[in-house]
Amino acid sequence: MKRMIDIMMASLGIAIFCPVMLFIAALIAASSRGPIIYRGKRSGLNYEDFYILKFRTMVDNAEKLGRFSTARNDPRLTAVGKYLRRFNSRR
């Protein structure tokens, strides 16, 4: 029963936010070259690796162009990326 509720709520969330995500994807595609989605490797529980998917906020191949950490005025950030990062909950 819990699994069914989880699936229903996730489907509802996707349906509600799909237009917003499509709009953001279109902005990213129109404003800079490269993929729309960034796939990053992270370390999780018990140091097991997993991949995170998120909208790309930096230029393509940003890892090769600079440091791992980014500042607010990092030149590798795209215009849309600067706007999206303002809504990041971790500051």
Side-chain angles (χ1 to χ4, degrees):
M1 183 68 172
K2 182 184 180 317
R3 175 76 173 153
M4 188 170 55
I5 293 172
D6 288 344
I7 291 171
M8 288 173 33
M9 295 304 288
S11 299
L12 180 65
I14 289 172
I16 290 171
F17 289 106
C18 186
V20 175
M21 291 187 293
L22 287 173
F23 180 71
I24 291 171
L27 287 176
I28 292 170
S31 68
S32 63
R33 294 176 44 164
I36 295 169
I37 301 293
Y38 168 76
R39 182 176 179 232
K41 191 174 186 180
R42 301 290 190 266
S43 182
L45 184 65
N46 299 323
Y47 303 102
E48 290 187 32
D49 291 338
F50 67 97
Y51 289 95
I52 185 170
L53 299 175
K54 57 185 182 176
F55 287 117
R56 182 175 53 85
T57 59
M58 300 182 83
V59 297
D60 197 22
N61 293 323
E63 300 91 10
K64 296 177 180 138
L65 300 174
R67 296 172 296 189
F68 181 71
S69 180
T70 59
R72 261 182 216 258
N73 58 353
D74 194 316
R76 298 174 295 164
L77 289 172
T78 63
V80 175
K82 286 179 187 177
Y83 184 76
L84 289 175
R85 284 182 175 220
R86 287 180 23 193
F87 297 102
N88 187 358
S89 60
R90 296 183 308 159
R91 291 183 191 222

